[in-house]
Amino acid sequence: MDVVRTVMRRELAAYFATPLAYVFIVIFLALAGAFTFFIGGFFERGQADLESFFVFHPWLYLFLVPAVAMRLWAEERRTGTIELLLTLPASTFEIVLGKFLAAWIFTGIALALTFPFWIMVNYLGDPDNGVILASYLGSWAIAGAFIAIGACASALTKNQVIAFVLGAAICFLFLMSGVELVLAAFRPWAPPVVVDIVASFSLLTHFSELMKGVVSAATAVYLATLVGCCLLVNTLIVELEKAA
Amino acid sequence: MQEMVRLERLTKRFGDVRAVEEVSFSVGRGEVLGFLGPNGAGKSTTMRMLTGYLLPTSGTAKVMGFDVVDEPREVKKHIGYLPEGAPLYADMSPLGLLRFVGGMRGLEGKELERKIARAIELTSLEEVAHRPIDTLSKGFRRRVGLAQAILHDPPVLVLDEPTDGLDPNQKHEVRKLIKTMSAEKAIIISTHILEEVDAVCDRAVIIARGRVVADATPAELERRAPNHNAVRITIDRERVQEAVDALRMLNTVRDVQRLEEVDGVASLLVLPTNGAEIGAAVSQILNERGIRVERFAVERGRLDEVFRALTAEAA
């Protein structure tokens, strides 16, 4: 575990060593605010809840989170530091996990900095803080899933732009797998059970449950499995490069 | 001598490209092995397999008895590795990087700080310890790479071109450092600078096109040079022909070559048969003829000629 913590600390520090961290946080907060008030109609709704705030998170994450994840491996490959990293006494999985945790904590910091919304809504009314907590956890979990996906994409290339585009595209598929746009591609040929499985992959469906304050075992298991699988795939990609 | 590193028929193919073909050698405690070869010969690939960055296609490599495929973590614990080009995290300071590497190697607290201080001192990094690595010169970066390799005082050091990009003074310092550490360690350095082999290596392994073409001490390699033990003499131009005729009569002389003529004096290169010592015979026969020798030098044979001959054959 020491190795995981060491990798995580270095990665987290690397975010704040460049303007990337600050740019990301500022853009995330600005967009979250703009969406909540202008598109979500926070005041017009006249309800003391944060639904108009959380509902846009998956869409914000869709292009912001792959930008956080894209450098995790691609940068190491481009600069050659991956050789330094992989010849230190650690297993590939420990390094994969450390990198994932760093990026996830980083998005957690950005998310935590939205606390003024929570203060505001509590000042204006009497919201259900349990629902808000569940929504925060759900939002952070979606970010985690996107990071795990983005990290895999990053491990495939030394080009951060490719890592970004690939990561965003895969995240989009997972986000949207519940809507007709994606399901229509399966319906003509796949049996209904497959279509249902694909639909159940939808992060959007699970997230809307969480936003209602429903934390179900199915959602928790699904998200944990998704992240776990991505980390394993990430490990495999890195290991395969060694054997190439 | 305790054997610390052993490579046996180590092979790496990238698709159809045979990067390394059945490379075998071993390195013992107290030994500095020079790993030589032209660019693209497979030096870095071999070192990458030894340090666990690449998996071999076939063959085995063992470090302190641990197999690189079966027990990579143990292997990595016992190796200090400077990868080619000394890649480093540019956003960190040398101190930050050493703390990271130390943490990854399980060092902490006072022990970590003590080892960092030692590594910084040995590589003379004091003045830049707090500066971001991307602002450092090539020489400093290389030394940061060396510092992280020696940080945990490993029994085996694998250094891929440790003096590349250093100025002559820095090269001297690094070689001195390698020499100081060599008594207790097995050190493998790759280089294409042949003077380095003379300066620090006890043994040289030359590879070309992925295959080992020589494994010998620098002195043994020099003996293979075409002009090993050749005698270079400078004499009066008027008597060159006479001298050549006389020298050709010696049966230990293979050939006599005329070199350039400068200011009325001529130089001759007298090549021995099978590298025999001919200095005494040459000076005696010239004395007998009363030919005055201005300058007289016995050549050791140049490593770069041996290197060229060996690596060109394979190509």
Side-chain angles (χ1 to χ4, degrees):
Chain A
M1 271 332 262
D2 281 352
V3 167
V4 176
R5 211 173 53 223
T6 308
V7 172
M8 190 190 79
R9 250 198 243 130
R10 200 210 76 73
E11 289 293 335
L12 206 50
Y15 279 116
F16 289 98
T18 62
L20 176 77
Y22 305 101
V23 169
F24 176 87
I25 289 174
V26 167
I27 290 181
F28 175 72
L29 294 178
L31 288 179
F35 281 15
T36 306
F37 294 117
F38 296 109
I39 304 176
F42 177 78
F43 291 117
E44 289 81 353
R45 293 175 72 234
Q47 288 184 27
D49 64 25
L50 284 179
E51 199 185 318
S52 58
F53 165 68
F54 285 114
V55 75
F56 297 107
H57 281 197
W59 306 101
L60 277 176
Y61 290 155
L62 189 56
F63 65 96
L64 285 177
V65 170
V68 171
M70 67 183 183
R71 52 163 289 284
L72 285 177
W73 292 94
E75 174 87 351
E76 300 254 12
R77 249 184 229 302
R78 191 181 59 79
T79 60
T81 47
I82 191 163
E83 192 168 351
L84 181 70
L85 185 63
L86 294 182
T87 52
L88 290 170
S91 72
T92 307
F93 183 73
E94 286 170 320
I95 297 172
V96 166
L97 187 60
K99 280 176 174 284
F100 165 77
L101 288 176
W104 196 29
I105 288 170
F106 174 69
T107 57
I109 293 170
L111 189 59
L113 287 174
T114 62
F115 70 91
F117 288 96
W118 175 73
I119 292 174
M120 178 185 67
V121 77
N122 269 282
Y123 176 77
L124 291 173
D126 187 17
D128 184 341
N129 281 318
V131 169
I132 291 178
L133 181 67
S135 303
Y136 262 115
L137 287 178
S139 173
W140 194 34
I142 303 281
F146 280 10
I147 281 170
I149 293 169
C152 284
S154 180
L156 285 169
T157 172
K158 64 169 98 174
N159 184 321
Q160 295 198 29
V161 177
I162 294 176
F164 172 80
V165 173
L166 196 62
I170 302 172
C171 287
F172 180 74
L173 285 181
F174 271 94
L175 193 61
M176 297 292 284
S177 66
V179 302
E180 208 45 40
L181 176 76
V182 174
L183 292 181
F186 288 88
R187 262 192 232 288
W189 56 272
V193 67
V194 172
V195 178
D196 285 348
I197 290 172
V198 172
S200 74
F201 278 172
S202 171
L203 282 166
L204 218 47
T205 316
H206 289 284
F207 184 60
S208 61
E209 294 286 300
L210 286 163
M211 257 194 330
K212 288 178 206 143
V214 185
V215 186
S216 69
T219 298
V221 168
Y222 166 67
L223 286 170
T225 311
L226 177 59
V227 170
C229 286
C230 286
L231 295 182
L232 286 180
V233 169
N234 193 342
T235 308
L236 267 175
I237 294 169
V238 177
E239 289 281 327
L240 281 175
E241 301 271 345
K242 275 190 190 185
Chain B
M1 188 165 59
Q2 187 196 345
E3 185 179 276
M4 294 168 94
V5 178
R6 173 164 207 91
L7 282 70
E8 240 167 295
R9 303 165 69 88
L10 200 63
T11 299
K12 182 73 184 180
R13 298 204 181 96
F14 298 107
D16 288 336
V17 182
R18 296 166 172 220
V20 174
E21 275 287 287
E22 307 209 331
V23 165
S24 308
F25 61 82
S26 63
V27 193
R29 184 188 292 274
E31 202 171 18
V32 181
L33 181 96
F35 197 42
L36 314 176
N39 289 331
K43 301 190 292 286
S44 292
T45 305
T46 305
M47 290 180 141
R48 283 172 175 169
M49 286 190 278
L50 192 57
T51 53
Y53 179 62
L54 287 175
L55 290 173
T57 309
S58 65
T60 57
K62 284 195 167 136
V63 174
M64 306 300 290
F66 298 107
D67 189 282
V68 292
V69 177
D70 300 333
E71 293 171 283
R73 193 189 282 251
E74 287 302 317
V75 167
K76 290 169 186 176
K77 271 186 198 167
H78 290 96
I79 286 186
Y81 178 39
L82 172 72
E84 186 181 18
L88 302 164
Y89 294 108
D91 53 288
M92 299 178 104
S93 67
L95 200 57
L97 184 102
L98 292 176
R99 289 217 174 101
F100 167 67
V101 171
M104 293 291 282
R105 293 197 175 280
L107 300 170
E108 54 189 9
K110 283 209 168 106
E111 197 197 4
L112 176 62
E113 294 306 319
R114 195 172 50 77
K115 294 209 156 159
I116 288 175
R118 177 182 151 274
I120 284 181
E121 192 195 325
L122 282 172
T123 50
S124 317
L125 285 170
E126 292 89 348
E127 56 178 302
V128 299
H130 294 278
R131 287 186 16 206
I133 288 171
D134 59 1
T135 65
L136 301 185
S137 68
K138 207 174 170 189
F140 272 124
R141 285 186 208 195
R142 186 72 38 153
R143 282 190 271 163
V144 176
L146 265 173
Q148 64 81 23
I150 63 171
L151 180 66
H152 55 303
D153 199 16
V156 176
L157 270 180
V158 178
L159 310 174
D160 203 344
E161 302 192 344
T163 59
D164 188 41
L166 301 186
D167 68 37
N169 295 336
Q170 294 167 336
K171 276 184 191 171
H172 179 74
E173 288 300 316
V174 168
R175 286 174 196 157
K176 212 166 74 186
L177 176 62
I178 292 171
K179 272 282 179 204
T180 347
M181 294 187 301
S182 64
E184 288 302 310
K185 298 185 195 302
I187 304 180
I188 302 177
I189 61 170
S190 84
T191 179
H192 45 237
I193 309 167
L194 291 145
E195 52 173 303
E196 204 146 288
V197 179
D198 255 339
V200 290
C201 300
D202 305 302
R203 228 174 83 218
V205 167
I206 302 181
I207 68 168
R209 297 236 162 166
R211 287 178 183 280
V212 174
V213 292
D215 181 349
T217 64
E220 281 165 357
L221 285 175
E222 279 170 359
R223 245 171 266 150
R224 296 193 200 173
N227 57 351
H228 175 69
N229 274 346
V231 175
R232 189 184 287 267
I233 51 174
T234 306
I235 53 173
D236 185 358
R237 189 173 59 182
E238 304 294 317
R239 310 196 60 181
V240 165
Q241 196 53 48
E242 192 184 334
V244 170
D245 290 341
L247 289 168
R248 284 213 165 119
M249 295 198 347
L250 289 170
N251 55 8
T252 49
V253 169
R254 172 161 53 97
D255 193 14
V256 181
Q257 289 171 2
R258 287 191 199 205
L259 303 172
E260 76 281 12
E261 288 185 18
V262 188
D263 297 334
V265 289
S267 291
L268 293 179
L269 184 66
V270 189
L271 296 164
T273 325
N274 300 325
E277 306 235 355
I278 54 169
V282 167
S283 74
Q284 190 194 347
I285 202 160
L286 293 175
N287 253 333
E288 282 168 8
R289 308 276 161 123
I291 300 172
R292 206 170 72 86
V293 179
E294 306 259 348
R295 287 224 309 265
F296 186 98
V298 179
E299 306 233 326
R300 293 167 57 197
R302 291 163 51 108
L303 273 181
D304 58 354
E305 284 170 358
V306 183
F307 177 84
R308 222 172 21 243
L310 284 169
T311 56
E313 267 169 37

